[in-house]
Structure formats: structure tokens, C-alpha cells
Amino acid sequence: MSWLDTPSIQGLVNYLDVTALREKLTAGNIANIDTPGYRTLDINFQDALQQASLGGGEASLAPRVFQVKGLIERPDGNNVGLDRESVILAGVQLEYRTAV
């Protein structure tokens, strides 16, 4: 076993995968801010991070992506809020940098 195959390293890899997924979802939300009918997508970030840290590497990591409910919807049916997405993006980038 090399030092790259340890459970700690695999846990960090999983952690980075979760933060990268949430960053991708958030960037997609921002990119679709003017798309009529677009619904904000997200994952349960804390649960996914816990799964990533506990799943020593053998389990496949696939957080459930869902539409966020309860957000203010514009007349065109879009519910993306730039303020919310910007705060999430900043937090996720900080999480990612910390893990690296």
C-alpha cells in the first residue's frame, strides 16, 4: 500500500469531489439566472461532506441533486437568486481550498 492509497487521502479526494460538484451546480445556477422557468439546483452539502469523510474510498459518492424549494420566484418562473448563489460559491471555494 502506498501513501496515496490511504483512507485519509481517499477521504480528501471524496471531499474535493463533493465541493467540486456543488461549485459546478452553483455556477450552473448563476449561468441560468436569466433562463425562464429554470429552477435552482443544489445538494445537501453537509450530508454529502459527511458521507465523503466517512466513505473510506470504496463506496461510490453520488449526492442527490434536487431543486431548491421556498425561494422567491420571478414572473418568468426562474427562482435563482444571485446573492444566495454568490454566498454559496464563496463558501464552496473556501471549502475546496481548505481541503487542498
Side-chain angles (χ1 to χ4, degrees):
M1 174 192 271
S2 80
W3 65 275
L4 292 174
D5 293 334
T6 65
S8 296
I9 295 295
Q10 190 57 49
L12 283 173
V13 169
N14 291 345
Y15 190 92
L16 291 172
D17 288 345
V18 169
T19 55
L21 173 61
R22 192 166 196 211
E23 184 172 21
K24 181 179 175 181
L25 288 172
T26 304
N29 290 338
I30 292 170
N32 285 291
I33 199 163
D34 291 325
T35 304
Y38 183 82
R39 312 301 290 174
T40 301
L41 299 176
D42 205 350
I43 59 174
N44 187 328
F45 193 56
Q46 296 304 321
D47 285 351
L49 287 179
Q50 184 176 10
Q51 249 185 341
S53 63
L54 296 178
E58 300 305 321
S60 65
L61 188 64
R64 186 179 68 84
V65 177
F66 61 89
Q67 290 183 358
V68 179
K69 300 197 184 306
L71 300 177
I72 297 172
E73 188 175 308
R74 296 192 307 264
D76 67 358
N78 188 307
N79 70 350
V80 177
L82 186 58
D83 292 339
R84 177 188 184 275
E85 300 304 314
S86 296
V87 169
I88 290 172
L89 189 60
V92 168
Q93 288 173 343
L94 182 60
E95 292 272 355
Y96 189 89
R97 289 180 188 151
T98 301
V100 169

Coordinates of all heavy atoms in Angstrom, one line a residue:
M1 N 0.8 -1.2 0.0 CA 0.0 0.0 0.0 C 0.9 1.2 0.0 O 1.7 1.4 0.8 CB -0.9 0.0 1.2 CG -1.7 1.3 1.4 SD -2.5 1.5 2.9 CE -4.1 0.7 2.6
S2 N 0.6 2.1 -0.9 CA 1.4 3.4 -1.0 C 0.7 4.4 -0.1 O -0.4 4.2 0.3 CB 1.6 3.9 -2.4 OG 0.4 4.5 -2.8
W3 N 1.4 5.5 0.2 CA 0.8 6.5 1.0 C -0.4 7.2 0.3 O -1.2 7.9 0.9 CB 1.9 7.5 1.5 CG 2.5 8.3 0.4 CD1 3.5 7.9 -0.4 CD2 2.1 9.6 -0.1 NE1 3.8 8.9 -1.3 CE2 3.0 9.9 -1.1 CE3 1.1 10.5 0.3 CZ2 2.9 11.1 -1.8 CZ3 1.0 11.7 -0.3 CH2 1.9 12.0 -1.4
L4 N -0.5 7.0 -1.1 CA -1.6 7.6 -1.8 C -2.9 6.8 -1.7 O -3.9 7.3 -2.1 CB -1.2 7.8 -3.3 CG -0.1 8.8 -3.6 CD1 0.3 8.8 -5.0 CD2 -0.6 10.2 -3.2
D5 N -2.8 5.6 -1.2 CA -3.9 4.7 -1.1 C -4.5 4.6 0.3 O -5.3 3.7 0.6 CB -3.5 3.3 -1.6 CG -3.2 3.2 -3.1 OD1 -3.7 4.1 -3.8 OD2 -2.4 2.3 -3.4
T6 N -4.2 5.6 1.1 CA -4.7 5.5 2.5 C -6.1 6.0 2.6 O -6.6 6.8 1.7 CB -3.8 6.4 3.4 OG1 -3.9 7.7 3.0 CG2 -2.3 5.9 3.4
P7 N -6.9 5.6 3.6 CA -8.2 6.1 3.7 C -8.3 7.6 3.9 O -9.3 8.2 3.4 CB -8.7 5.4 5.0 CG -7.9 4.1 5.1 CD -6.6 4.5 4.5
S8 N -7.3 8.2 4.5 CA -7.3 9.6 4.7 C -7.2 10.4 3.4 O -8.0 11.3 3.1 CB -6.1 10.1 5.6 OG -6.2 9.5 6.9
I9 N -6.3 9.9 2.5 CA -6.2 10.5 1.2 C -7.5 10.3 0.4 O -8.0 11.3 -0.3 CB -5.0 10.0 0.4 CG1 -3.7 10.3 1.1 CG2 -5.0 10.5 -1.0 CD1 -3.4 11.8 1.2
Q10 N -8.1 9.1 0.4 CA -9.3 8.9 -0.3 C -10.4 9.7 0.2 O -11.3 10.2 -0.5 CB -9.7 7.4 -0.3 CG -10.8 7.1 -1.2 CD -10.5 7.5 -2.7 OE1 -9.4 7.1 -3.2 NE2 -11.4 8.1 -3.3
G11 N -10.5 9.9 1.5 CA -11.5 10.8 2.1 C -11.3 12.2 1.6 O -12.3 12.9 1.4
L12 N -10.1 12.7 1.5 CA -9.9 14.1 0.9 C -10.3 14.1 -0.5 O -10.9 15.1 -1.0 CB -8.4 14.5 1.1 CG -8.0 14.9 2.5 CD1 -6.5 15.1 2.6 CD2 -8.7 16.2 2.9
V13 N -10.0 13.1 -1.3 CA -10.4 13.1 -2.7 C -12.0 13.1 -2.8 O -12.5 13.9 -3.6 CB -9.9 11.8 -3.4 CG1 -10.6 11.6 -4.7 CG2 -8.4 11.8 -3.5
N14 N -12.7 12.4 -1.9 CA -14.1 12.4 -1.9 C -14.6 13.8 -1.5 O -15.6 14.3 -2.1 CB -14.7 11.4 -0.9 CG -14.5 10.0 -1.4 OD1 -14.2 9.7 -2.6 ND2 -14.6 9.0 -0.5
Y15 N -14.0 14.4 -0.5 CA -14.3 15.7 -0.1 C -14.2 16.8 -1.2 O -15.1 17.6 -1.4 CB -13.4 16.1 1.1 CG -13.7 17.3 1.9 CD1 -14.5 17.3 3.0 CD2 -13.2 18.6 1.5 CE1 -14.8 18.4 3.7 CE2 -13.5 19.7 2.2 CZ -14.3 19.6 3.3 OH -14.6 20.8 4.1
L16 N -13.1 16.7 -2.0 CA -12.9 17.5 -3.1 C -13.9 17.3 -4.2 O -14.4 18.3 -4.8 CB -11.5 17.4 -3.7 CG -10.3 17.9 -2.8 CD1 -9.0 17.5 -3.4 CD2 -10.4 19.4 -2.6
D17 N -14.3 16.1 -4.4 CA -15.4 15.7 -5.4 C -16.7 16.4 -5.0 O -17.4 16.9 -5.9 CB -15.5 14.2 -5.5 CG -14.4 13.6 -6.2 OD1 -13.6 14.3 -6.9 OD2 -14.3 12.3 -6.1
V18 N -17.1 16.3 -3.7 CA -18.3 16.9 -3.3 C -18.3 18.5 -3.4 O -19.2 19.0 -4.0 CB -18.6 16.6 -1.8 CG1 -19.8 17.4 -1.3 CG2 -18.9 15.1 -1.7
T19 N -17.2 19.1 -3.1 CA -17.1 20.5 -3.2 C -17.1 20.9 -4.7 O -17.7 21.9 -5.0 CB -15.9 21.1 -2.5 OG1 -14.7 20.5 -2.9 CG2 -16.0 21.0 -1.0
A20 N -16.4 20.2 -5.5 CA -16.4 20.5 -7.0 C -17.8 20.3 -7.5 O -18.2 21.1 -8.4 CB -15.4 19.5 -7.7
L21 N -18.6 19.3 -7.1 CA -20.0 19.1 -7.6 C -20.8 20.3 -7.2 O -21.6 20.9 -8.0 CB -20.6 17.8 -7.1 CG -22.0 17.6 -7.4 CD1 -22.3 17.6 -8.9 CD2 -22.6 16.4 -6.7
R22 N -20.7 20.8 -6.0 CA -21.6 21.9 -5.5 C -21.2 23.2 -6.2 O -22.0 24.0 -6.6 CB -21.5 22.1 -4.0 CG -22.6 23.1 -3.6 CD -22.9 23.1 -2.1 NE -24.1 23.7 -1.8 CZ -24.4 24.4 -0.7 NH1 -23.4 24.4 0.2 NH2 -25.5 24.9 -0.5
E23 N -19.9 23.3 -6.5 CA -19.4 24.5 -7.2 C -20.0 24.5 -8.7 O -20.4 25.5 -9.2 CB -17.9 24.6 -7.2 CG -17.4 25.8 -7.9 CD -15.9 26.0 -7.8 OE1 -15.2 25.0 -7.5 OE2 -15.4 27.1 -7.9
K24 N -20.0 23.3 -9.3 CA -20.5 23.2 -10.6 C -22.0 23.5 -10.7 O -22.5 24.2 -11.6 CB -20.2 21.7 -11.1 CG -20.7 21.5 -12.5 CD -20.4 20.0 -12.9 CE -21.0 19.7 -14.3 NZ -20.7 18.3 -14.7
L25 N -22.7 23.0 -9.7 CA -24.2 23.3 -9.6 C -24.4 24.7 -9.4 O -25.3 25.3 -10.1 CB -24.8 22.5 -8.5 CG -25.0 21.0 -8.7 CD1 -25.5 20.3 -7.4 CD2 -25.9 20.7 -9.8
T26 N -23.7 25.4 -8.5 CA -23.9 26.8 -8.2 C -23.5 27.6 -9.5 O -24.2 28.6 -9.8 CB -23.0 27.2 -7.0 OG1 -23.3 26.4 -5.9 CG2 -23.2 28.6 -6.7
A27 N -22.4 27.3 -10.2 CA -22.1 28.0 -11.4 C -23.1 27.8 -12.4 O -23.5 28.8 -13.2 CB -20.7 27.5 -11.9
G28 N -23.7 26.6 -12.5 CA -24.8 26.4 -13.5 C -26.0 27.2 -13.1 O -26.7 27.8 -14.0
N29 N -26.3 27.4 -11.8 CA -27.4 28.2 -11.4 C -27.2 29.6 -11.8 O -28.1 30.3 -12.3 CB -27.6 28.1 -9.9 CG -28.1 26.8 -9.4 OD1 -28.7 26.0 -10.2 ND2 -27.9 26.5 -8.2
I30 N -26.0 30.1 -11.6 CA -25.7 31.5 -12.0 C -25.8 31.7 -13.5 O -26.3 32.7 -14.0 CB -24.3 31.9 -11.4 CG1 -24.4 32.0 -9.9 CG2 -23.9 33.3 -12.0 CD1 -23.0 32.2 -9.2
A31 N -25.3 30.7 -14.2 CA -25.3 30.8 -15.7 C -26.7 30.9 -16.2 O -27.0 31.4 -17.3 CB -24.5 29.7 -16.3
N32 N -27.7 30.3 -15.5 CA -29.1 30.2 -15.9 C -29.9 31.2 -15.2 O -31.2 31.1 -15.2 CB -29.6 28.8 -15.7 CG -29.1 27.8 -16.7 OD1 -29.4 27.9 -17.9 ND2 -28.2 26.9 -16.3
I33 N -29.4 32.3 -14.7 CA -30.1 33.3 -13.9 C -31.2 34.0 -14.8 O -32.2 34.4 -14.3 CB -29.2 34.3 -13.3 CG1 -29.9 35.0 -12.1 CG2 -28.6 35.3 -14.3 CD1 -29.1 35.7 -11.2
D34 N -31.0 34.0 -16.1 CA -32.0 34.7 -17.0 C -32.8 33.7 -17.8 O -33.5 34.1 -18.7 CB -31.3 35.7 -17.9 CG -30.7 36.9 -17.2 OD1 -31.4 37.3 -16.2 OD2 -29.7 37.4 -17.5
T35 N -32.7 32.4 -17.5 CA -33.4 31.4 -18.3 C -34.8 31.2 -17.7 O -34.9 30.8 -16.5 CB -32.7 30.0 -18.2 OG1 -31.3 30.2 -18.7 CG2 -33.4 29.0 -19.0
P36 N -35.8 31.5 -18.5 CA -37.2 31.4 -18.0 C -37.5 30.0 -17.5 O -37.1 29.0 -18.2 CB -38.1 31.8 -19.2 CG -37.2 32.6 -20.0 CD -35.8 32.1 -19.8
G37 N -38.1 29.8 -16.4 CA -38.5 28.5 -15.9 C -37.4 27.7 -15.2 O -37.7 26.6 -14.7
Y38 N -36.2 28.2 -15.2 CA -35.1 27.5 -14.6 C -35.3 27.4 -13.1 O -35.6 28.4 -12.4 CB -33.7 28.1 -14.9 CG -32.6 27.3 -14.4 CD1 -32.1 26.2 -15.0 CD2 -32.0 27.6 -13.1 CE1 -31.0 25.5 -14.5 CE2 -30.9 26.9 -12.6 CZ -30.4 25.8 -13.3 OH -29.4 25.1 -12.8
R39 N -35.0 26.3 -12.5 CA -35.1 26.1 -11.0 C -33.7 25.8 -10.4 O -32.9 25.1 -11.0 CB -36.0 24.8 -10.7 CG -37.3 24.8 -11.5 CD -38.2 26.0 -11.2 NE -38.7 25.9 -9.9 CZ -39.4 26.9 -9.3 NH1 -39.7 28.0 -10.0 NH2 -39.8 26.8 -8.1
T40 N -33.5 26.5 -9.3 CA -32.2 26.3 -8.6 C -32.0 24.9 -8.2 O -32.8 24.3 -7.6 CB -32.2 27.3 -7.4 OG1 -32.4 28.6 -7.8 CG2 -30.9 27.2 -6.6
L41 N -30.7 24.4 -8.5 CA -30.3 23.0 -8.1 C -29.3 23.1 -7.0 O -28.5 24.0 -7.0 CB -29.7 22.3 -9.3 CG -30.7 22.1 -10.5 CD1 -29.9 21.5 -11.7 CD2 -31.9 21.3 -10.2
D42 N -29.3 22.1 -6.2 CA -28.3 22.0 -5.1 C -28.2 20.6 -4.6 O -29.0 19.7 -5.0 CB -28.8 23.0 -3.9 CG -27.6 23.5 -3.1 OD1 -26.5 22.9 -3.2 OD2 -27.8 24.3 -2.2
I43 N -27.3 20.4 -3.6 CA -27.2 19.1 -2.9 C -27.3 19.4 -1.4 O -27.1 20.6 -1.0 CB -25.9 18.4 -3.2 CG1 -24.7 19.2 -2.9 CG2 -25.9 17.9 -4.7 CD1 -23.3 18.5 -3.0
N44 N -27.5 18.4 -0.6 CA -27.4 18.6 0.8 C -25.9 18.5 1.1 O -25.4 17.4 1.3 CB -28.2 17.5 1.6 CG -28.3 17.8 3.1 OD1 -27.3 18.3 3.6 ND2 -29.3 17.4 3.7
F45 N -25.3 19.7 1.2 CA -23.9 19.8 1.3 C -23.3 19.1 2.5 O -22.3 18.4 2.4 CB -23.5 21.2 1.2 CG -22.0 21.5 0.9 CD1 -21.4 20.9 -0.2 CD2 -21.3 22.3 1.8 CE1 -20.0 21.1 -0.4 CE2 -19.9 22.5 1.5 CZ -19.3 22.0 0.4
Q46 N -23.8 19.4 3.7 CA -23.3 18.8 4.9 C -23.4 17.3 4.9 O -22.4 16.6 5.3 CB -24.0 19.4 6.1 CG -23.8 20.9 6.3 CD -22.3 21.3 6.4 OE1 -21.5 20.6 7.0 NE2 -22.0 22.4 5.7
D47 N -24.5 16.7 4.5 CA -24.6 15.3 4.5 C -23.7 14.7 3.5 O -23.0 13.6 3.7 CB -26.1 14.9 4.1 CG -27.1 15.0 5.2 OD1 -26.6 15.3 6.3 OD2 -28.3 14.9 4.9
A48 N -23.5 15.3 2.3 CA -22.6 14.8 1.3 C -21.1 14.9 1.8 O -20.3 14.0 1.6 CB -22.7 15.6 0.0
L49 N -20.8 15.9 2.5 CA -19.4 16.0 3.1 C -19.2 15.0 4.2 O -18.1 14.4 4.2 CB -19.2 17.4 3.7 CG -19.0 18.5 2.7 CD1 -18.7 19.9 3.4 CD2 -17.8 18.3 1.8
Q50 N -20.2 14.7 5.0 CA -20.1 13.7 6.0 C -19.9 12.3 5.3 O -19.1 11.5 5.7 CB -21.3 13.7 6.9 CG -21.2 12.7 8.0 CD -22.4 12.8 9.0 OE1 -23.4 13.4 8.7 NE2 -22.2 12.1 10.1
Q51 N -20.7 12.0 4.3 CA -20.6 10.8 3.5 C -19.2 10.7 2.9 O -18.6 9.6 3.0 CB -21.5 10.8 2.4 CG -22.6 9.8 2.5 CD -23.5 9.8 1.2 OE1 -23.4 10.8 0.4 NE2 -24.2 8.8 1.0
A52 N -18.6 11.8 2.4 CA -17.3 11.8 1.8 C -16.2 11.5 2.8 O -15.3 10.7 2.5 CB -17.0 13.1 1.1
S53 N -16.4 12.0 4.0 CA -15.3 11.8 5.0 C -15.4 10.4 5.6 O -14.4 9.8 6.0 CB -15.4 12.9 6.1 OG -16.6 12.8 6.8
L54 N -16.6 9.8 5.7 CA -16.8 8.5 6.3 C -16.6 7.4 5.3 O -16.1 6.3 5.6 CB -18.2 8.4 6.9 CG -18.5 9.3 8.0 CD1 -19.9 9.1 8.5 CD2 -17.5 9.0 9.2
G55 N -16.9 7.7 4.0 CA -16.8 6.6 3.0 C -15.3 6.5 2.6 O -14.9 7.1 1.6
G56 N -14.6 5.6 3.2 CA -13.2 5.5 3.0 C -12.6 5.3 1.6 O -11.5 5.2 1.4
G57 N -13.5 5.3 0.6 CA -13.0 5.2 -0.7 C -13.6 4.2 -1.6 O -13.7 4.2 -2.8
E58 N -14.2 3.1 -0.9 CA -14.7 2.0 -1.7 C -16.2 2.4 -2.2 O -16.6 1.9 -3.2 CB -14.8 0.8 -0.9 CG -13.4 0.3 -0.4 CD -12.4 0.1 -1.6 OE1 -12.8 -0.4 -2.7 OE2 -11.2 0.5 -1.4
A59 N -16.9 3.1 -1.4 CA -18.3 3.4 -1.7 C -18.3 4.5 -2.8 O -17.5 5.5 -2.7 CB -19.0 3.9 -0.5
S60 N -19.2 4.4 -3.7 CA -19.3 5.4 -4.7 C -20.0 6.6 -4.1 O -21.0 6.5 -3.4 CB -20.1 4.9 -6.0 OG -21.4 4.6 -5.6
L61 N -19.6 7.8 -4.4 CA -20.1 9.0 -3.8 C -21.0 9.7 -4.9 O -20.6 10.1 -5.9 CB -18.9 9.9 -3.5 CG -19.3 11.2 -2.7 CD1 -19.8 10.8 -1.3 CD2 -18.0 12.0 -2.5
A62 N -22.3 9.7 -4.6 CA -23.3 10.3 -5.5 C -24.3 11.0 -4.7 O -25.4 10.5 -4.5 CB -23.9 9.2 -6.4
P63 N -24.0 12.3 -4.3 CA -25.0 13.0 -3.6 C -26.3 13.3 -4.5 O -26.2 13.4 -5.7 CB -24.3 14.4 -3.3 CG -22.9 14.1 -3.5 CD -22.8 13.0 -4.5
R64 N -27.4 13.3 -3.9 CA -28.7 13.6 -4.6 C -28.8 15.0 -4.9 O -28.8 15.9 -4.0 CB -29.8 13.1 -3.7 CG -31.2 13.1 -4.5 CD -32.3 12.6 -3.6 NE -32.6 13.5 -2.5 CZ -33.4 14.6 -2.5 NH1 -33.9 14.9 -3.6 NH2 -33.6 15.3 -1.4
V65 N -29.0 15.3 -6.2 CA -29.2 16.7 -6.6 C -30.7 17.0 -6.6 O -31.5 16.1 -7.1 CB -28.6 16.9 -8.1 CG1 -29.0 18.3 -8.5 CG2 -27.1 16.7 -8.1
F66 N -31.1 18.1 -6.1 CA -32.6 18.4 -6.0 C -32.8 19.9 -6.3 O -31.9 20.7 -6.3 CB -33.1 18.1 -4.6 CG -32.5 18.8 -3.5 CD1 -33.0 20.1 -3.1 CD2 -31.4 18.3 -2.9 CE1 -32.4 20.8 -2.1 CE2 -30.7 19.1 -1.8 CZ -31.3 20.3 -1.4
Q67 N -34.1 20.2 -6.6 CA -34.5 21.5 -6.9 C -34.8 22.2 -5.5 O -35.5 21.6 -4.7 CB -35.7 21.6 -7.7 CG -35.5 21.2 -9.2 CD -36.8 21.4 -10.0 OE1 -37.8 21.7 -9.5 NE2 -36.6 21.1 -11.3
V68 N -34.2 23.4 -5.3 CA -34.4 24.0 -4.0 C -35.8 24.7 -4.0 O -36.2 25.4 -4.9 CB -33.4 25.1 -3.8 CG1 -33.5 25.9 -2.5 CG2 -32.0 24.6 -3.9
K69 N -36.5 24.3 -2.9 CA -37.9 24.9 -2.7 C -37.9 26.1 -1.8 O -37.0 26.2 -1.0 CB -38.8 23.8 -2.2 CG -38.9 22.6 -3.1 CD -40.1 21.7 -2.8 CE -40.2 20.5 -3.6 NZ -40.1 20.6 -5.0
G70 N -38.9 26.9 -1.9 CA -39.0 28.0 -1.0 C -38.3 29.3 -1.4 O -38.3 30.2 -0.6
L71 N -37.7 29.3 -2.5 CA -37.0 30.5 -3.0 C -38.0 31.4 -3.7 O -39.0 31.0 -4.2 CB -35.9 30.2 -3.9 CG -34.8 29.3 -3.4 CD1 -33.7 29.0 -4.4 CD2 -34.1 30.0 -2.2
I72 N -37.7 32.7 -3.7 CA -38.6 33.7 -4.4 C -38.5 33.4 -5.9 O -37.5 33.4 -6.4 CB -38.2 35.1 -4.0 CG1 -38.4 35.3 -2.5 CG2 -39.0 36.1 -4.8 CD1 -37.9 36.7 -2.0
E73 N -39.7 33.3 -6.5 CA -39.8 33.1 -7.9 C -40.2 34.3 -8.7 O -41.1 35.1 -8.2 CB -40.8 32.0 -8.1 CG -40.9 31.5 -9.5 CD -41.8 30.3 -9.7 OE1 -41.7 29.3 -8.9 OE2 -42.7 30.4 -10.5
R74 N -39.5 34.6 -9.8 CA -39.8 35.7 -10.6 C -41.0 35.4 -11.5 O -41.3 34.2 -11.6 CB -38.6 36.2 -11.4 CG -37.4 36.6 -10.5 CD -36.3 37.3 -11.4 NE -35.9 36.5 -12.5 CZ -34.8 35.7 -12.5 NH1 -34.1 35.6 -11.4 NH2 -34.5 35.0 -13.5
P75 N -41.6 36.4 -12.1 CA -42.7 36.1 -13.0 C -42.4 35.1 -14.1 O -43.3 34.4 -14.6 CB -43.1 37.5 -13.6 CG -42.6 38.5 -12.5 CD -41.4 37.8 -11.9
D76 N -41.2 35.0 -14.6 CA -40.8 34.1 -15.6 C -40.6 32.6 -15.1 O -40.3 31.7 -15.9 CB -39.6 34.6 -16.4 CG -38.3 34.5 -15.6 OD1 -38.4 34.2 -14.4 OD2 -37.3 34.9 -16.2
G77 N -40.8 32.4 -13.8 CA -40.7 31.1 -13.3 C -39.3 30.7 -12.8 O -39.1 29.7 -12.2
N78 N -38.3 31.6 -13.0 CA -37.0 31.4 -12.5 C -36.9 31.7 -11.0 O -37.4 32.7 -10.6 CB -36.0 32.2 -13.4 CG -34.6 31.9 -13.1 OD1 -34.1 31.9 -12.0 ND2 -33.8 31.7 -14.2
N79 N -36.2 30.9 -10.2 CA -36.0 31.2 -8.8 C -34.6 31.3 -8.4 O -34.3 31.2 -7.2 CB -36.8 30.2 -8.0 CG -36.1 28.8 -8.0 OD1 -35.2 28.5 -8.8 ND2 -36.6 27.9 -7.1
V80 N -33.7 31.6 -9.3 CA -32.2 31.8 -9.0 C -32.0 33.1 -8.4 O -32.4 34.2 -9.0 CB -31.3 31.6 -10.2 CG1 -29.9 31.8 -9.8 CG2 -31.5 30.2 -10.8
G81 N -31.4 33.2 -7.2 CA -31.0 34.5 -6.6 C -29.5 34.6 -6.6 O -28.8 33.8 -6.0
L82 N -29.1 35.7 -7.2 CA -27.6 35.9 -7.3 C -26.9 36.0 -5.9 O -25.8 35.5 -5.8 CB -27.3 37.1 -8.2 CG -25.9 37.4 -8.5 CD1 -25.3 36.2 -9.2 CD2 -25.7 38.7 -9.3
D83 N -27.6 36.7 -5.0 CA -27.0 36.8 -3.7 C -26.8 35.5 -3.0 O -25.7 35.2 -2.5 CB -27.8 37.7 -2.8 CG -27.9 39.2 -3.2 OD1 -27.0 39.6 -3.9 OD2 -28.8 39.9 -2.8
R84 N -27.8 34.6 -3.0 CA -27.7 33.3 -2.4 C -26.6 32.5 -3.1 O -25.7 31.9 -2.4 CB -29.0 32.6 -2.6 CG -29.0 31.1 -2.0 CD -30.3 30.4 -2.4 NE -30.3 29.1 -1.8 CZ -29.8 28.0 -2.4 NH1 -29.2 28.1 -3.6 NH2 -29.8 26.8 -1.8
E85 N -26.6 32.5 -4.4 CA -25.6 31.7 -5.2 C -24.2 32.2 -5.0 O -23.2 31.4 -4.9 CB -25.9 31.7 -6.7 CG -27.3 31.1 -7.0 CD -27.5 29.7 -6.4 OE1 -26.6 28.8 -6.6 OE2 -28.6 29.4 -5.8
S86 N -24.0 33.5 -4.9 CA -22.7 34.1 -4.6 C -22.1 33.7 -3.3 O -20.9 33.4 -3.2 CB -22.7 35.6 -4.7 OG -23.1 36.0 -6.0
V87 N -23.0 33.7 -2.3 CA -22.5 33.3 -0.9 C -22.1 31.8 -0.9 O -21.1 31.4 -0.4 CB -23.6 33.6 0.1 CG1 -23.3 32.9 1.5 CG2 -23.8 35.1 0.3
I88 N -23.0 31.0 -1.5 CA -22.7 29.5 -1.6 C -21.4 29.3 -2.4 O -20.5 28.5 -1.9 CB -23.8 28.8 -2.3 CG1 -25.0 28.8 -1.3 CG2 -23.4 27.4 -2.6 CD1 -26.3 28.2 -2.0
L89 N -21.2 30.0 -3.5 CA -20.0 29.8 -4.3 C -18.7 30.2 -3.5 O -17.7 29.5 -3.5 CB -20.1 30.7 -5.6 CG -19.0 30.4 -6.6 CD1 -19.0 29.0 -7.1 CD2 -19.2 31.4 -7.8
A90 N -18.8 31.3 -2.8 CA -17.6 31.7 -2.0 C -17.3 30.7 -0.9 O -16.2 30.3 -0.7 CB -17.9 33.1 -1.3
G91 N -18.4 30.2 -0.2 CA -18.2 29.2 0.8 C -17.6 27.9 0.3 O -16.7 27.3 0.8
V92 N -18.1 27.4 -0.9 CA -17.6 26.2 -1.5 C -16.1 26.3 -1.9 O -15.3 25.4 -1.8 CB -18.5 25.8 -2.7 CG1 -17.9 24.7 -3.5 CG2 -19.9 25.3 -2.2
Q93 N -15.8 27.5 -2.5 CA -14.4 27.7 -2.9 C -13.5 27.7 -1.7 O -12.4 27.1 -1.8 CB -14.3 29.0 -3.7 CG -14.9 29.0 -5.0 CD -15.0 30.3 -5.7 OE1 -14.8 31.4 -5.1 NE2 -15.2 30.3 -7.0
L94 N -13.9 28.2 -0.6 CA -13.1 28.2 0.6 C -13.0 26.8 1.1 O -11.9 26.3 1.5 CB -13.8 29.1 1.7 CG -13.1 29.2 3.1 CD1 -11.7 29.7 2.9 CD2 -13.9 30.0 4.0
E95 N -14.1 26.0 1.1 CA -14.0 24.6 1.5 C -13.0 23.8 0.6 O -12.2 23.0 1.1 CB -15.4 23.9 1.4 CG -16.4 24.4 2.4 CD -16.4 23.6 3.7 OE1 -15.7 22.6 3.8 OE2 -17.1 24.0 4.6
Y96 N -13.1 24.0 -0.7 CA -12.2 23.3 -1.6 C -10.7 23.7 -1.3 O -9.9 22.8 -1.3 CB -12.6 23.7 -3.1 CG -11.8 22.9 -4.1 CD1 -12.4 21.7 -4.5 CD2 -10.6 23.3 -4.6 CE1 -11.7 20.9 -5.5 CE2 -10.0 22.5 -5.6 CZ -10.5 21.3 -6.0 OH -9.9 20.6 -6.9
R97 N -10.5 25.0 -1.2 CA -9.1 25.4 -0.9 C -8.5 24.8 0.4 O -7.4 24.5 0.5 CB -9.0 26.9 -0.9 CG -9.1 27.5 -2.3 CD -9.1 29.0 -2.2 NE -9.4 29.6 -3.5 CZ -9.9 30.8 -3.7 NH1 -10.2 31.5 -2.6 NH2 -10.2 31.2 -4.9
T98 N -9.4 24.8 1.4 CA -9.0 24.2 2.7 C -8.6 22.7 2.5 O -7.6 22.3 3.1 CB -10.2 24.4 3.7 OG1 -10.5 25.7 3.9 CG2 -9.8 23.8 5.0
A99 N -9.4 22.0 1.8 CA -9.1 20.6 1.6 C -7.8 20.4 0.8 O -7.1 19.4 1.1 CB -10.3 19.9 0.8
V100 N -7.6 21.2 -0.2 CA -6.4 21.1 -1.0 C -5.2 21.4 -0.1 O -4.2 20.7 -0.1 CB -6.4 22.1 -2.2 CG1 -5.0 22.1 -2.8 CG2 -7.4 21.6 -3.2

